[in-house]
């Protein structure tokens, strides 16, 4: 082996070492970028990816609610259960089970997903359907939704007595009775 061959072998070895170091640094950088990008993923975007699937959502003041995730909106979801439908405020969710690993960024959401929880509650009020309002503290109000204000809902309970419920204390609205 000539001195030129040995020199080229040394240079090839150095080049391979440099490539290995670059690949190792690049892998760390990509992992760092992936972590940073995932920090931008919201619960709502993960829920949006689960639309049309069966999920279990744990709700403060209610407990676990299972059903098909029908719709995701700004601050709420619609879950269709076997005996009732649920409008759940995402602020009251404590855990979600059965969601796919992917997410759907907000820019890819349909225009209807930008509707706030008030829109879903107004639709229930318009239907005149009896419902149960579950609050985050575990209390409940049975009745018919009457009107939806900026930060509250009116529910007509027994004897048509109106009760005002602050929206931020609302965990879920169950559109039909259990059982």
């Amino acid at each position: 082996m000539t001195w030129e061959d040995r020199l080229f072998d040394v240079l090839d070895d150095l080049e391979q070492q440099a490539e290995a170091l670059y690949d190792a640094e690049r892998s760390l950088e990509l992992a760092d970028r992936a972590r940073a990008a995932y920090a931008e993923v919201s619960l709502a975007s993960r829920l949006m990816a689960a639309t049309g699937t069966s999920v279990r959502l744990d709700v403060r003041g209610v407990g676990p609610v299972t059903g098909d995730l029908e719709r995701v909106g700004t601050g709420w979801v619609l879950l269709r259960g076997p005996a009732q439908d649920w409008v759940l405020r995402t602020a009251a969710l404590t855990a979600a089970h059965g969601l796919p690993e992917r997410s759907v960024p907000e820019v890819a959401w349909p225009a209807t997903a930008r509707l706030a929880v008030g829109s879903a509650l107004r639709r229930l009020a318009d239907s005149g359907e009896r419902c149960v309002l579950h609050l985050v503290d575990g209390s409940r109000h049975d009745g018919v939704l009457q009107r939806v204000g900026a930060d509250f809902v009116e529910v007509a309970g027994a004897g048509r007595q109106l009760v005002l419920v602050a929206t931020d204390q609302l965990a879920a609205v169950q559109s039909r009775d259990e059982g």
Side-chain angles (χ1 to χ4, degrees):
M1 179 178 269
T2 68
W3 69 269
E4 287 179 331
D5 290 336
R6 284 188 298 229
L7 178 63
F8 283 124
D9 285 346
V10 168
L11 291 175
D12 284 342
D13 187 46
L14 288 173
E15 188 174 323
Q16 288 174 359
Q17 287 179 26
E19 283 180 25
L21 286 172
Y22 174 78
D23 288 344
E25 285 180 21
R26 179 107 171 106
S27 293
L28 290 173
E29 181 184 338
L30 289 175
D32 218 23
R33 284 185 184 181
R35 278 191 296 275
Y38 197 73
E40 301 297 319
V41 174
S42 68
L43 173 61
S45 68
R46 290 289 303 272
L47 289 166
M48 182 59 82
T51 302
T53 66
S54 183
V55 298
R56 185 181 97 207
L57 302 175
D58 296 341
V59 184
R60 191 176 325 120
V62 178
V65 179
T66 303
D68 294 329
L69 188 57
E70 180 89 7
R71 179 171 286 171
V72 177
T74 302
W76 64 281
V77 298
L78 173 62
L79 202 64
R80 294 218 185 268
Q84 65 273 327
D85 297 338
W86 294 85
V87 174
L88 306 170
R89 289 190 53 249
T90 54
L93 298 182
T94 59
H97 308 267
L99 272 57
E101 289 189 22
R102 64 186 193 89
S103 67
V104 177
E106 283 192 44
V107 296
W109 291 11
T112 55
R114 289 173 180 70
L115 297 174
V117 69
S119 295
L121 297 176
R122 276 189 276 290
R123 189 170 186 165
L124 278 173
D126 291 345
S127 75
E129 189 175 337
R130 187 178 181 295
C131 59
V132 181
L133 280 69
H134 296 265
L135 279 57
V136 293
D137 67 1
S139 62
R140 303 165 33 139
H141 296 283
D142 295 9
V144 177
L145 288 179
Q146 298 298 301
R147 296 184 295 184
V148 179
D151 59 355
F152 70 95
V153 296
E154 292 178 355
V155 61
R160 303 276 305 158
Q161 180 180 359
L162 283 181
V163 176
L164 296 158
V165 176
T167 307
D168 66 351
Q169 294 303 303
L170 190 60
V173 177
Q174 183 181 359
S175 68
R176 292 191 294 268
D177 286 329
E178 297 178 27

